Every structure is written in structure tokens, then in C-alpha cells.
Amino acid sequence: MAKKKVCVSFDYTNDKNYRYLLSAWDANTNFDFGFNDFTPNEINSENYSRVKAVITQRIKESTYLLVLVGKYANTEHPRKNEIGDKNWINWEINKAKELGKKLVAVKLDWSYESPTALLNSGAKWANFSKDSIIKALDEV
């Protein structure tokens, strides 16, 4: 089976360990979990136009945007005006919708507030488990 082309949207400061766990599942031959990761590495730039260009290219190359919904996924970013949205996660979701990508939202805890851009987006929802994520990617 071909690996799915997935870009992961997440709060780097607070949720990067979940992102790393996805990569570990992919690398583990004992798990039936695979995806070609189109998520950019941390972009060390204060030039938001450059950051947007890199993220946009990665989303374009993918089929899915998998959104990790952590505790701060809908928190307003202090530089929201430069981002052009409430925060980077909302910006990435809106970019994926604009580009016609399939959305999978993974709640790290069901009590966490969802990013506004996910509401009424047609996203497939999952909890943070290998089986739940595989099922959501297969069904969206």
C-alpha cells in the first residue's frame, strides 16, 4: 500500500512531542502506520512571508492536512496580524481548504477547543491513537 502524503499542523511549542510520535509510528516496522511526511522542519525566520511560502509548498505537495488539536490550538497569536489569521494552525487549515486538501483533526484531549477554521470544514475527527488516525485518513 502506498504511503499517504500528509502534512501535520500543530503547535510547535506545546505539541511537538505528539508530532514526533507520529514519525516514530511511521518508522516502526511493527506498526501498520505509514505516511510520507510533508511537514516542514522548524522554520527559523521572522519573515512571515517566507514561512508562509514554505508551509504553502508543503501543503500543496500533500493530500491531507492532519491537525493536532492541543490545548492552545485556538489561542490567539500575538502577531496574528502578520500571520493573517488567529494563529498558524488556523492559517494552515484555511490554506489547506483553499488548496482543496483533505482534513483530519486529531484531538489530543476532547476538552480542548478546536481551531475556528476546523468548524464546519468537513474534517474527519480522531483521537490520538494509531488506529483512530489510520481510520480517519482512510475515511476522509
Side-chain angles (χ1 to χ4, degrees):
M1 175 173 53
K3 289 187 170 191
K4 297 182 183 316
K5 296 177 180 179
V6 178
C7 184
V8 182
S9 176
F10 63 103
D11 175 351
Y12 184 83
T13 302
N14 298 291
D15 300 325
K16 64 182 168 269
N17 290 337
Y18 292 96
R19 164 63 188 78
Y20 296 148
L21 185 52
L22 290 172
S23 292
W25 289 346
D26 182 46
N28 186 336
T29 57
N30 294 321
F31 281 11
D32 181 21
F33 183 85
F35 68 99
N36 285 321
D37 191 358
F38 286 83
T39 309
N41 293 327
E42 183 179 8
I43 306 164
N44 291 317
S45 177
E46 290 296 312
N47 180 337
Y48 281 20
S49 293
R50 173 75 182 124
V51 173
K52 287 179 179 182
V54 170
I55 294 170
T56 297
Q57 184 59 38
R58 293 304 181 113
I59 294 171
K60 280 182 181 178
E61 294 170 352
S62 67
T63 305
Y64 305 86
L65 183 71
L66 190 146
V67 182
L68 297 178
V69 180
K71 186 173 184 176
Y72 303 100
N74 204 41
T75 301
E76 196 169 278
H77 192 282
R79 293 173 66 184
K80 69 177 187 171
N81 291 337
E82 292 168 79
I83 294 170
D85 213 320
K86 188 173 193 171
N87 60 29
W88 282 111
I89 293 173
N90 277 282
W91 184 87
E92 291 164 351
I93 294 164
N94 283 322
K95 180 57 69 174
K97 291 190 306 190
E98 174 187 319
L99 295 170
K101 302 302 175 178
K102 298 176 182 180
L103 297 172
V104 173
V106 179
K107 283 270 193 163
L108 301 181
D109 183 299
W110 287 101
S111 69
Y112 295 158
E113 182 182 358
S114 298
T116 307
L118 274 178
L119 304 177
N120 300 313
S121 69
K124 186 70 179 171
W125 292 85
N127 59 37
F128 194 84
S129 75
K130 177 182 63 74
D131 292 337
S132 182
I133 294 169
I134 289 171
K135 183 178 180 197
L137 287 168
D138 286 343
E139 291 179 353
V140 69

